[in-house]
Amino acid sequence: RSRIVTSGLDAPRGLAILNDVLYVTDLGPLPCPRIYCKGIDLPGYGYYEGAAKILRESNGSILAFDVLADGSLNNKRAIVTGLPTANFAHGANGITVGPDGLLYVSIGGVEGLYDRPDIVDAIEGPKLDFLGTVIRLKPDGSGLEIFAEGLRNVYALTFDDHGLLWGVDNDGKTMGGWHREEVLQIKRGSNYGYPFEGTFGPHKIRNDNPVWIMDGVGSGGIEWAGKFGLEPGLIVGGCTNLRYLPLVDYDNGRFLEDRNDSTLMATIPGCVTIIEPAPEQIMLIGVFDTDLLYSFKLVVHPQQ
C-alpha cells in the first residue's frame, strides 16, 4: 500500500538516503503546459527562443527531508538551489551517495542549444557551468564542486564494489559529430567533450573515453549488479530493455566484457530510468513514458 509522504515539489527526479535523510533532485518549475517541456513546446516561442527561456528561468534544486521512524518526512529544506534545467529531460537527474559519504548528482547538458553557445553565454545564471556535469557536495550542501564535465545527459549514477562511479550518457548531436550511448566510468576531472565533440575523434577537449557503446537508445537507469546476486557488472535500463553488462578486471582498470546474451528484458513499455534493489534480490524498475509518466514494475531474481 502506498501513501503520500510529501507534496509541493515541482518535478522531482532522483532520490538518495543517507543517515536517515532523504535527498531529492528537483528540476524546478517548467514553463510549458505539460511536464514534457522542451523549447519547441512553448506556445509563441521559436525553437531556440523557447530553449533559452527554459534555461534562463530554470531553478533546479537538491532538497533534503528528515525520515522519521514511521517513514514520514519532516523538515523539508533546500540544500542547493539555482541548478540549471535545459528541459524536462536535461536537468538535475540522478543522485547517489559515494563511499566517501558525499552526494553525487548528474546534471544534463544544453541539448536544444548544443550548437548555439552564443545564446547560452548570453544567459546570466550563477550555476550554468553545471550544465552537463556530475557535481559533488557534502550532505549539508557545502563544498559544491564539479566532479566531471562535458556530459550530454547522464540520468542515473552508481558506484561499484571498488568505489568507481558509473553512468550511461545518452546519444545526440554535437558540434563535432554524433554522440553515442556511452557507458562511462566517470572519473574526477574528466571532460567528455559535449557539446563540442562527439564520441569519435579527433578530440581536443575530451580527455577520457567510454568503456562501452550501447547499441540501443534512451539508456537511463543503472545499478551495480552485485546487489541482485549477479557477478560483477552493471544493470542498465534503456528504452524497452534491461541489460546486464559484466565487468572484468585488468591491470590497467575495469572494463566491460563482450556478451551477446546480456538482455534481461526486451519488451518493457517506455524507458527505464530507475533501478533499485529490494529484499530478496528483487529489482524495482521505474519506467518513463511521455504518456504514462512513471509506472513501476517488478523483476524477480534476474539471474534466473
Side-chain angles (χ1 to χ4, degrees):
R1 183 179 178 181
S2 62
R3 60 171 174 153
I4 297 174
V5 293
T6 191
S7 59
L9 304 179
D10 291 303
R13 186 56 58 87
L15 304 173
I17 293 180
L18 174 64
N19 297 330
D20 295 326
V21 177
L22 173 68
Y23 296 92
V24 181
T25 56
D26 194 310
L27 299 180
L30 298 171
C32 299
R34 59 175 183 152
I35 194 170
Y36 189 95
C37 185
K38 292 190 174 184
I40 198 170
D41 299 304
L42 280 172
Y45 285 82
Y47 181 84
Y48 290 119
E49 292 78 8
K53 175 180 173 63
I54 294 173
L55 185 56
R56 183 171 56 250
E57 297 179 1
S58 63
N59 186 21
S61 61
I62 304 173
L63 306 172
F65 302 82
D66 295 333
V67 182
L68 304 183
D70 62 356
S72 61
L73 303 180
N74 190 31
N75 189 25
K76 174 184 175 182
R77 66 261 188 203
I79 62 170
V80 176
T81 60
L83 295 177
T85 301
N87 56 49
F88 87 104
H90 288 239
N93 289 321
I95 181 170
T96 193
V97 179
D100 51 9
L102 301 179
L103 301 176
Y104 291 74
V105 178
S106 57
I107 301 176
V110 290
E111 209 256 333
L113 296 173
Y114 78 93
D115 58 348
R116 294 299 303 271
D118 57 317
I119 294 178
V120 178
D121 291 343
I123 297 173
E124 295 184 0
K127 296 184 176 69
L128 289 186
D129 287 346
F130 291 166
L131 284 164
T133 67
V134 170
I135 60 173
R136 183 170 70 170
L137 61 148
K138 294 180 180 179
D140 62 0
S142 64
L144 186 62
E145 64 174 350
I146 293 175
F147 183 80
E149 60 186 327
L151 300 164
R152 184 178 181 275
N153 200 36
V154 174
Y155 257 83
L157 300 166
T158 190
F159 282 92
D160 66 15
D161 59 347
H162 289 181
L164 304 176
L165 181 63
W166 297 85
V168 184
D169 203 7
N170 292 161
D171 70 331
K173 296 178 180 178
T174 77
M175 288 186 283
W178 192 259
H179 179 93
R180 296 288 301 275
E181 297 265 325
E182 301 181 353
V183 179
L184 302 175
Q185 183 203 317
I186 302 173
K187 304 170 185 175
R188 185 179 186 185
S190 291
N191 188 321
Y192 296 93
Y194 183 82
F196 307 103
E197 301 173 344
T199 296
F200 306 106
H203 293 140
K204 296 182 179 180
I205 297 174
R206 184 166 194 160
N207 58 22
D208 195 24
N209 295 313
V211 297
W212 196 259
I213 302 294
M214 301 294 288
D215 57 5
V217 297
S219 302
I222 188 170
E223 188 53 272
W224 173 238
K227 295 181 179 180
F228 308 105
L230 295 169
E231 294 298 314
L234 302 169
I235 304 295
V236 176
C239 292
T240 76
N241 58 70
L242 189 71
R243 295 180 178 180
Y244 164 55
L245 305 179
L247 287 166
V248 291
D249 293 315
Y250 293 98
D251 292 340
N252 58 340
R254 175 167 261 182
F255 300 92
L256 294 177
E257 178 184 18
D258 187 3
R259 183 176 294 183
N260 295 323
D261 59 352
S262 63
T263 300
L264 301 176
M265 292 184 68
T267 58
I268 300 173
C271 302
V272 177
T273 56
I274 301 170
I275 304 172
E276 290 290 339
E280 300 181 359
Q281 296 176 352
I282 291 177
M283 189 181 299
L284 303 178
I285 301 174
V287 179
F288 175 81
D289 183 271
T290 55
D291 295 318
L292 298 175
L293 296 184
Y294 287 97
S295 61
F296 290 89
K297 298 181 180 293
L298 297 180
V299 178
V300 182
H301 301 303
Q303 68 271 29
Q304 295 180 353

